[in-house]
Amino acid sequence: MNVFCSRFLPPYGDRTVDQMVQAARSGKQNIVEGSEDGKTSTESEIRLLNVARSSVSELRQDYDDFLKARHLKIWTPADKRFQPMQDFTKVHNTLSDYEPYFQKWSAEEMANVGLTLCYQVDAMMNKYLQSLEQTFIKEGGIKERMHKARTDYRRQQDERLAELEHNLPLLQQQLTAAQQEANRWKTAYEDLKQRALNAYYRQQDEIQALKQCLNENGIE
């Protein structure tokens, strides 16, 4: 942009220079900021990209006015130079791709290239914005999706807590019944054990008594 203005516009007294430079900077800056803000807020990204589109639109109009004011031709598909320019700009998107031509292109060539780039950038942003807006409508922005995720997680935890609290009395009943059953088995075991011990001791006593009786009667 600076090269175009320095080559083809007067250095002083023409507000077009400031307008074009400012529009180019604003478009670039809002695209960068929109991309960065898009990591946390889709809504903010959409807003900044729309601002960028406005800036690019202003720059496009300035190129258009420049060509018309100087009676230079705006290339259309009917012009043989149009398609080669389109093919070039579609696959070259870095400053270094264009620098070799900055001092070679005429005002008409450079303005048409700038005009075409503005149209292409705007078309790409518009397509991307449509995709963002559809996603925003259907799913909400990133903040909205994060809020939904937190809300869904909280709902799941609340449902699980309610389920556990509902099942707790039943589990308590089952535990009480199991303890009662265990106590009954313990009582039966202690009773069986005691009877077995009593029988054992009675038999021991009987054996001792018989041995004593035999000894007393001299029976061997």
Side-chain angles (χ1 to χ4, degrees), residues 33-34 37-38 41-49:
E33 291 181 9
D37 285 4
S41 173
T42 302
E43 184 178 6
S44 179
E45 183 179 14
I46 290 173
R47 177 178 57 79
L48 288 170
L49 288 180

Side-chain angles (χ1 to χ4, degrees), residues 6-220:
S6 64
R7 285 190 65 194
F8 306 116
L9 291 172
Y12 305 105
D14 191 340
R15 294 191 59 186
T16 303
V17 175
D18 291 337
Q19 290 173 0
M20 294 184 76
V21 171
Q22 182 59 36
R25 288 176 178 172
S26 175
K28 175 185 176 181
Q29 189 63 28
N30 280 288
I31 290 173
V32 172
E33 291 181 9
S35 177
E36 187 65 26
D37 285 4
K39 297 175 183 178
T40 56
S41 173
T42 302
E43 184 178 6
S44 179
E45 183 179 14
I46 290 173
R47 177 178 57 79
L48 288 170
L49 288 180
N50 275 312
V51 173
R53 284 195 70 196
S54 296
S55 297
V56 172
S57 178
E58 291 176 12
L59 182 59
R60 184 178 66 225
Q61 188 61 54
D62 287 332
Y63 277 124
D64 190 88
D65 291 342
F66 174 88
L67 289 164
K68 289 177 179 177
R70 289 157 180 78
H71 305 290
L72 299 174
K73 189 174 182 180
I74 297 176
W75 299 349
T76 65
D79 193 300
K80 64 180 182 180
R81 296 169 294 182
F82 179 83
Q83 193 57 52
M85 176 188 63
Q86 286 273 312
D87 294 339
F88 181 84
T89 54
K90 283 180 179 178
V91 297
H92 294 85
N93 54 16
T94 63
L95 180 62
S96 60
D97 294 330
Y98 295 87
E99 284 178 332
Y101 304 96
F102 282 168
Q103 301 302 323
K104 298 178 181 179
W105 279 332
S106 66
E108 183 178 301
E109 290 172 327
M110 204 164 188
N112 272 284
V113 169
L115 189 62
T116 298
L117 286 171
C118 287
Y119 276 113
Q120 290 176 346
V121 169
D122 182 70
M124 287 188 290
M125 282 196 295
N126 184 47
K127 184 176 181 180
Y128 180 60
L129 276 168
Q130 289 178 354
S131 174
L132 278 181
E133 288 167 355
Q134 287 299 314
T135 300
F136 187 80
I137 291 170
K138 294 177 181 178
E139 304 175 13
I142 293 175
K143 288 182 178 178
E144 291 79 8
R145 292 197 292 272
M146 289 175 65
H147 175 73
K148 182 178 183 300
R150 290 194 298 267
T151 302
D152 288 346
Y153 177 77
R154 178 58 185 269
R155 177 180 53 77
Q156 292 171 0
Q157 298 306 306
D158 288 343
E159 290 175 354
R160 180 58 177 164
L161 179 60
E163 179 184 3
L164 292 173
E165 290 178 339
H166 175 75
N167 292 336
L168 189 60
L170 177 61
L171 292 173
Q172 184 63 49
Q173 291 176 2
Q174 292 175 346
L175 178 60
T176 300
Q179 289 175 336
Q180 291 174 347
E181 185 69 17
N183 289 335
R184 284 195 294 270
W185 278 102
K186 183 178 180 180
T187 300
Y189 167 75
E190 292 295 337
D191 180 64
L192 181 61
K193 177 182 175 182
Q194 191 59 49
R195 282 188 288 162
L197 285 172
N198 291 338
Y200 172 79
Y201 292 135
R202 283 197 302 272
Q203 188 165 330
Q204 245 190 356
D205 291 342
E206 186 175 352
I207 291 171
Q208 290 298 326
L210 286 172
K211 285 182 177 180
Q212 184 177 358
C213 181
L214 289 173
N215 289 333
E216 289 176 352
N217 292 318
I219 301 173
E220 295 182 1

